[in-house]
Every structure is written in C-alpha cells, then in structure tokens.
Amino acid sequence: MEVPVCFYEEKLKLQETEIKSLAAEIERLKNCGFVGETPSLECLREENAKLKYRLNILRKSLLEEKKKSSKSMININSQLQEIFGTAIRAAYPELQNAPLAVTPSQQPKFGDYQCNSAMAMTQMLKTMDKKVSPREIAGNIIKNIPNNDLVEKLDIAGPGFINVHLHKDFISKQLSKLLVNGVQPPIVEERKKVVVDFSSPNIAKEMHVGHLRSTIIGDSICRLFEFVGHDVLRLNHLGDWGTQFGMLIAHLQDKFPDYLAVSPPIGDLQAFYKESKKRFDGEEEFKKRAYQCVVQLQNKNPDIITAWNLICEVSRKEFQKIYDCLDISIIDRGESFYQDRMVQVVREFESKGLVEVDEGRKIVFAPGCTVPLTIQKSDGGFTYDTSDLAALKQRLQEEKADMIIYVIDSGQSIHMQTIFAAGHMIGWYDPKVTRIEHAGFGVVLGEDKKKFKTRSGDTVRLIDLLEEGLKRSMEKLNEKGRDKVLTPEELTAAQTSVAFGCIKYADLSHNRMNDYIFSFDKMLDDRGNTAAYLLYAYTRIRSIARLANISDEELHKAAKETEVILDHEKEWKLARCILRFPEILQKNLEDLLLHTLCDYLYELATIFTEFYDNCYCVEKDRQTGQIVKVNMSRLLLCDATAAVMAKGFDILGIKPVQRM
C-alpha cells in the first residue's frame, strides 16, 4: 500500500505538540518553586528527553520518506482513491465503509479514470430509509473533492459515473520525474521480511518440466517484492532427506569404496539412482544395508554424512547449471535443515493436547480441514507434514517473516491449507498480522493438451528444454537475417535473451492458476503477446534516439530541461499508460498474478506503436534521408516507455538486448 508523506508529517506534529506541553509543565513547576529534586520534575525531564530522541528519529524518517517520495513513481489510482475517499466521508459521514471504486476509463470520452461508487452508495442509503439518486450522490461527492494537483475536471455520466480528467501539467511533471530519476518503486507502507519457497527439486533426480513453473513464477515474485524494497529470503526447499538416501549411499559404498579419500566421479546421477533402485527392489541383502544406512544417516555417522554430502553436491551442481541459464538466485535449505526441529514440533503439539493417536501414528486435525496431518509414523519416523510444519515454525520464529509465499503446484493446495491452519491453531502466527499464502499453479501441457512428455512418454528434462529453446531461437534469428547484421557476441546475446525470455514469458503471461500449453512455435512468434514481440519492440524503441544521433547523455540532459508536451491524443494516451505501472505492481503485490504485468507490457507496446505511427519523433528529408527535425519531447516519451518496459522485463526475469 502506498503511503503519503503527510502520514509522517502528522505523526511529527503530534510529537512536537507533546514535547511543547511537557516543556510548559516543567516551566510551570519551576515557577512554583519546585526544583531539580522534585521527583515529578525529574520524570518530566526524562520523558522530555525521550520524546526529543523520538522526535529526531521521526525527523530523519520524514526526510528519508520525502526523499523517496520525490523520486518514487506515484500510484495515480491510489491517489485518486484517497481524494474520493475524503470527499465521500465529507459528503456522507453517516456511511461506514462506503464503497470506493476508481478504475481507468475504457474510452477517452469518459475521461481518464472513473469513480463508480454512487450506485452502491444509493443502495446503502436506501437501507437507512434515505432515497437519493446516484446522480445526486455523485454531485455531492464532486462538491466535496479536496483541492489537489491531480484532477483538472470532473463530470457526471449516465446514472452516476464520475468521469475524472487528469491535469496534463501534473502528468507531464510525473514523466519528467521518471526520466530524471529512473523507474523508482512506489512507496510501500513498511519494509517487510518476505520468505519465498520455490523451485524445490529432489536430490539425485533431475529437474524436469514440472519444476519449470515454480522456478520461474517464484523468481518473478521475489523480484517484484525486492523491487518495492522488501527484504526477501529466496528458499529452495530441496528434497535432500529420506529413505531413498539409504540405497544411494549403500550403492556408493559398493561402486566407489574409496569415496572417503577420492571424490567419486558420478557423471550421471539419474543413472546412478536407477541402478541403486534396481538393486533395492531386487537384492534383499542390499535392501537391509540400505535401511542400515538410513539409520546411520539419521544418527549422523560421519562417514555416512560424507557420502550423503557427496551425492547432494553432484545434484546441486546440476541444478545450478539450470539456475545460471535462467538467472535464478536461490538459497538451498532442504528438508535436512529441519530434522532436529521436528522433535520439538511433535512435543509442542503434544504438550498442547492437539495430538491424536491412530494405529500407532500421531496425527493432528486442523480446524476446517478434513484430512489430518501425520506428524509421526508408528515406527517413530517423521513425514513431509512434520518437515513442513517445522519449516513454517522456523520461518516465523527464527526468520521473523512478515510474509511467507509458497510457490507450489495447485495439487498441494489442501496440504498447504492444512499446514497453515495447524500453524494458526497452535499459535505460531495470526493471519491478520502475518500473510501466509500458497501461490499455486497449474500443470504444463503438450500441444496434445496432455501432460507435457517426450515422444517416448518420459518426463521432459528441463536442461533439454532449455537447449531446445536456444536452438530454436537461433534458427528464428537466422531466418530473419540477424546473423548478417549482428556481431557474433550480439547474436549470442540475442539468442539467449529470446530463448529464455520466451520460455519465461510464455509461463508468466498465463494466469498461473490455469494449465498452459507449451509450444515453442507460439512463444517464438514475433506477433501478438509474446516475449519475442516485446523484445523486438523494445530494441526498436531504444534504436529511435540512436538513429537520430541522440546520445543517452543528451536524453538525460533533455529530461531535466525539456517539458514533455502531451497535446496529441496519442501522446496523452501513451503518457497515461506509462504512469499506470505502479498500479499494476500494486495489484501484483496483492494477488501474485503476474500475467497482468505481462498484459500491461503488451498494452504499452501496442499503444506505443499507435503513438509512433501518428506522431513524428524524427523527421527526415525524403530525398537525402538527412535528419531535418528531432522532436525531443517525443523522444523523451520513447525513452520513458523503454525504461518502464525494461523494469517490467527485469521483474519477469527477462534480459532485453540493445540490438536484435
């Protein structure tokens, strides 16, 4: 939520008033003959000193917020809601929680924004036996609009819609601020600790297409929260513990008996896993040794821990290749991290009388959930339920998380809701204070609309998918003749930008709650709402100033000195779209649905094309091709568009290039 600086100024005034009243009280006591020994006087002096200290802190805070505010992009929708909220409360103080609906207008004839609160307010007043028409309510709201720099004109349309026309001067100044300071995040209410759990592959198994969505969506959510200033902890909840490690370690001991002295050359961990599984299923003696290795692992036998670490390290190196390709930053913190904490979790649930015993296993029923959690098996072992509860507790109590987001497929929805309900029941957090959310997502489908698999029916390896993307994107670039105009370095940069950008965008541009069809042909198409189209559009926009021989330094100088003129309807339309960026981010922060950011970037690119087709930025002599005139105001609009697109790409984890 965006916070106006006046919030801090109001707090400051209250503190200053309090200090003045205390100072006056001290003077009054002194005049009455009470001096330093008077206990009440000493108390007042001490209180006064404390308040002065707090005042200094608030003053520093105020200066920082003012500095941020002077650079930050303004969320116009939030500002309008504040203006209309003030007017509604003044016009109808008897209405508690009056509806506040402010949205961008869909047609220019209805202004730039619309306030659609009047109709709902009519219904509320009717329940109070007050018959007032929506148009009359709209008129009363307009009468009570406070003075502001944002709104130029208000008019009423239809049954009671209030059309809002923005001040062109205000919009022009906001664009200049963006151009001078860069795309700065809107001010959020307070900096929070945000934990994001995503990707989470299993050790000794390769990452496959099923890990693609969690990895891409999770990274983008992290980038979003980091951009607006939150402290984000990116966690990879690896499957690095369990009975399968017994057979892997036993197989390692047999195949590489000197593993403690010489690091075993495990080239293909997937094949190694299959070998150990085959032995586990077919050799009884091996199976017994595998179980013994599990017990030794749980008891932290040094040699067994060394073997376990070797296996984990081979997997981590393979995972890192994929994370490097996709430019993903993440901290590994697997199930093993929580092993020692699980005992305490079971004891805590038992001590609070929340455990039931069912055929020897310990189970917990969370309120509103029909399926219980098994926190301890009948053989004394722990389960995924136990490790997930231990992870939740650790993140809340040790990491001091204000928000925890689990980017896990929607098939885990019931499980996650049960974990959250159990955590709330035992008192680890209050949902009104701490936001804990499951950002679920659908599955990746093939073009046959079935689960995406290879022709042989196997799960698609993620590394193969990324390599195929690189191959396809180079073919596309060569098809367009880019190999003839770009240097080898530029061509490689364009190849990786298009390949990985298209894979990410194809995922993020779909509502994450739905399944989506994976198609290289569609995602590499440079027409429509694809990364290929947007990346090409971005490089074209960036080339406009370059082809006009205007340097970045000249553009930055012009941003400080040149007013952005918004007289043409296409200039005005583009300017308003550029400045909607903070509104989109605010919505993303609330619902974690990043396809709306993708839709916005596509809309911005489309509106820019309208602008460029109708408004000359650079005029050239038709015969000689020489530049006759450069419209610097319009070049600044191009620069602002590109800056917002670049920041949007960054949040989506896409790397644009200057030349394509």
Side-chain angles (χ1 to χ4, degrees):
M1 179 184 171
E2 189 173 336
V3 178
V5 173
C6 61
F7 169 77
Y8 296 96
E9 289 175 334
E10 199 59 42
K11 282 175 75 175
L12 191 62
K13 283 176 188 171
L14 288 169
Q15 293 284 350
E16 286 176 329
T17 303
E18 200 170 348
I19 283 180
K20 282 176 186 174
S21 66
L22 277 167
E25 183 65 10
I26 288 172
E27 286 304 311
R28 188 185 69 76
L29 289 169
K30 278 183 181 176
N31 293 335
C32 291
F34 294 105
V35 284
E37 287 73 25
T38 308
S40 62
L41 183 58
E42 287 307 314
C43 278
L44 283 166
R45 280 181 174 154
E46 191 180 331
E47 192 62 30
N48 191 40
K50 284 180 186 174
L51 279 166
K52 281 184 177 174
Y53 173 76
R54 280 160 59 197
L55 180 66
N56 284 333
I57 296 291
L58 266 171
R59 278 186 175 137
K60 283 181 185 175
S61 223
L62 178 63
L63 287 170
E64 284 172 14
E65 293 303 327
K66 278 186 172 174
K67 193 176 176 183
K68 273 188 198 172
S69 180
S70 65
K71 292 185 176 181
S72 293
M73 287 187 76
I74 285 175
N75 184 334
I76 292 173
N77 198 311
S78 289
Q79 296 285 320
L80 288 172
Q81 286 188 38
E82 196 176 312
I83 289 165
F84 277 97
T86 301
I88 288 169
R89 285 190 295 274
Y92 296 95
E94 69 272 28
L95 285 183
Q96 296 295 315
N97 301 315
L100 187 57
V102 179
T103 56
S105 295
Q106 298 304 307
Q107 296 180 46
K109 65 180 180 180
F110 296 131
D112 305 310
Y113 283 81
Q114 278 190 326
C115 175
N116 305 328
S117 299
M119 280 68 76
M121 288 172 66
T122 298
Q123 298 304 316
M124 287 182 76
L125 288 166
K126 198 178 283 184
T127 63
M128 301 165 69
D129 293 327
K130 293 182 180 180
K131 288 188 178 180
V132 192
S133 72
R135 282 189 72 89
E136 187 180 341
I137 290 172
N140 288 332
I141 292 171
I142 289 173
K143 286 175 190 171
N144 285 277
I145 290 288
N147 290 333
N148 65 87
D149 299 328
L150 189 52
V151 179
E152 181 179 31
K153 187 178 77 170
L154 297 165
D155 54 58
I156 303 170
F161 300 113
I162 301 174
N163 297 334
V164 182
H165 303 264
L166 301 175
H167 262 299
K168 284 188 178 176
D169 185 51
F170 176 86
I171 297 300
S172 176
K173 284 176 180 173
Q174 293 306 311
L175 285 169
S176 295
K177 186 169 80 167
L178 181 157
L179 288 158
V180 170
N181 299 310
V183 182
Q184 298 296 323
I187 297 171
V188 292
E189 195 166 354
E190 59 180 309
R191 193 168 190 254
K192 292 182 176 177
K193 178 70 174 280
V194 182
V195 175
V196 184
D197 178 325
F198 69 106
S199 193
S200 309
N202 291 313
I203 294 292
K205 292 183 180 179
E206 288 182 293
M207 287 181 76
H208 54 78
V209 72
H211 295 109
L212 184 67
R213 299 207 76 185
S214 176
T215 304
I216 290 172
I217 296 167
D219 176 60
S220 191
I221 287 172
C222 290
R223 288 169 178 268
L224 172 66
F225 280 89
E226 286 162 349
F227 174 59
V228 298
H230 292 304
D231 176 16
V232 179
L233 179 60
R234 299 157 161 257
L235 290 183
N236 199 2
H237 192 74
L238 294 168
D240 66 351
W241 201 258
T243 54
Q244 76 272 23
F245 281 94
M247 65 184 192
L248 288 165
I249 293 166
H251 189 51
L252 180 78
Q253 289 172 328
D254 292 347
K255 197 165 183 178
F256 304 104
D258 58 348
Y259 74 90
L260 290 170
V262 181
S263 184
I266 304 173
D268 187 344
L269 193 56
Q270 188 78 356
F272 187 85
Y273 180 89
K274 286 178 181 176
E275 288 169 15
S276 66
K277 183 74 169 71
K278 187 178 179 182
R279 291 186 68 191
F280 184 83
D281 292 339
E283 300 176 27
E284 199 57 39
E285 189 57 38
F286 178 81
K287 193 176 203 175
K288 285 178 185 175
R289 264 197 315 118
Y291 279 130
Q292 287 168 3
C293 287
V294 173
V295 174
Q296 289 175 302
L297 179 63
Q298 289 171 342
N299 292 331
K300 299 187 179 175
N301 177 294
D303 291 354
I304 299 297
I305 289 291
T306 300
W308 172 75
N309 275 322
L310 286 167
I311 292 164
C312 289
E313 191 53 35
V314 174
S315 266
R316 285 196 185 95
K317 283 179 181 173
E318 292 303 308
F319 297 158
Q320 195 56 48
K321 289 177 187 175
I322 287 167
Y323 295 141
D324 288 344
C325 277
L326 296 173
D327 192 26
I328 306 289
S329 170
I330 195 165
I331 295 169
D332 290 340
R333 189 178 288 176
E335 292 165 16
S336 60
F337 179 83
Y338 305 101
Q339 287 305 301
D340 295 340
R341 292 168 172 82
M342 292 191 206
V343 178
Q344 295 302 321
V345 165
V346 174
R347 282 179 188 161
E348 188 174 347
F349 274 93
E350 285 179 324
S351 69
K352 296 192 176 179
L354 299 172
V355 174
E356 295 179 28
V357 178
D358 178 51
E359 296 182 353
R361 65 192 182 112
K362 294 176 181 177
I363 62 172
V364 171
F365 280 95
C369 304
T370 53
V371 180
L373 296 169
T374 299
I375 61 170
Q376 195 164 22
K377 294 186 286 187
S378 56
D379 63 3
F382 299 123
T383 67
Y384 288 125
D385 294 347
T386 332
S387 64
D388 284 343
L389 284 168
L392 177 64
K393 184 183 179 185
Q394 191 275 338
R395 292 163 184 179
L396 288 165
Q397 297 184 358
E398 295 178 44
E399 300 299 344
K400 309 291 185 192
D402 300 300
M403 193 183 307
I404 308 175
I405 300 166
Y406 290 80
V407 188
I408 302 170
D409 72 89
S410 295
Q412 297 294 315
S413 179
I414 293 172
H415 170 70
M416 295 315 303
Q417 294 310 317
T418 310
I419 293 289
F420 302 161
H424 180 213
M425 174 179 72
I426 202 168
W428 291 343
Y429 77 102
D430 178 354
K432 293 176 184 173
V433 177
T434 307
R435 178 182 175 186
I436 299 183
E437 190 160 344
H438 173 211
F441 53 84
V443 298
V444 182
L445 304 175
E447 294 192 70
D448 58 359
K449 296 186 180 176
K450 295 178 181 176
K451 268 198 173 184
F452 193 34
K453 293 187 180 293
T454 63
R455 286 180 183 175
S456 61
D458 294 330
T459 303
V460 179
R461 296 166 69 221
L462 196 44
I463 195 72
D464 292 344
L465 192 77
L466 298 179
E467 286 172 358
E468 178 69 13
L470 285 168
K471 176 174 163 285
R472 296 273 197 117
S473 73
M474 183 58 83
E475 287 171 359
K476 192 79 174 176
L477 288 163
N478 290 340
E479 185 186 303
K480 290 187 166 291
R482 308 319 294 162
D483 53 325
K484 296 179 178 64
V485 294
L486 298 175
T487 66
E489 293 78 14
E490 287 173 336
L491 187 62
T492 301
Q495 177 195 21
T496 55
S497 173
V498 171
F500 302 143
C502 285
I503 289 170
K504 288 183 178 185
Y505 192 85
D507 190 317
L508 295 168
S509 61
H510 289 84
N511 185 324
R512 62 173 166 78
M513 302 303 294
N514 301 332
D515 299 342
Y516 90 96
I517 296 169
F518 191 97
S519 165
F520 273 122
D521 290 339
K522 285 181 182 175
M523 65 178 68
L524 289 166
D525 193 340
D526 56 9
R527 297 161 298 177
N529 189 5
T530 65
Y533 168 75
L534 290 175
L535 287 165
Y536 281 124
Y538 175 81
T539 54
R540 282 198 300 272
I541 296 167
R542 280 290 188 216
S543 71
I544 294 167
R546 188 170 67 244
L547 295 173
N549 299 317
I550 303 294
S551 68
D552 289 344
E553 291 74 20
E554 287 173 293
L555 272 175
H556 196 67
K557 185 170 181 285
K560 295 176 181 176
E561 299 171 355
T562 306
E563 181 186 356
V564 180
I565 307 298
L566 303 171
D567 290 341
H568 194 286
E569 63 171 318
K570 299 299 181 185
E571 292 172 328
W572 179 241
K573 186 177 181 180
L574 178 59
R576 285 184 295 124
C577 188
I578 291 168
L579 294 179
R580 272 184 42 230
F581 187 51
E583 295 175 31
I584 302 300
L585 296 188
Q586 184 60 49
K587 187 176 186 305
N588 295 157
L589 288 165
E590 290 166 3
D591 61 22
L592 308 178
L593 295 171
L594 292 153
H595 68 278
T596 52
L597 174 57
C598 298
D599 291 344
Y600 165 76
L601 292 175
Y602 179 59
E603 181 187 358
L604 180 60
T606 306
I607 289 172
F608 177 84
T609 301
E610 287 179 24
F611 155 78
Y612 193 67
D613 289 346
N614 287 276
C615 302
Y616 282 107
C617 298
V618 181
E619 290 186 42
K620 293 182 179 179
D621 186 288
R622 290 180 183 275
Q623 293 179 328
T624 65
Q626 293 291 313
I627 294 169
V628 177
K629 182 183 176 184
V630 173
N631 187 317
M632 190 57 80
S633 170
R634 288 176 177 171
L635 276 189
L636 290 175
L637 270 173
C638 296
D639 196 39
T641 304
V644 167
M645 286 184 76
K647 180 48 68 180
F649 286 148
D650 184 56
I651 291 169
L652 298 173
I654 295 170
K655 285 185 174 179
V657 288
Q658 296 298 316
R659 299 193 68 213
M660 195 176 285

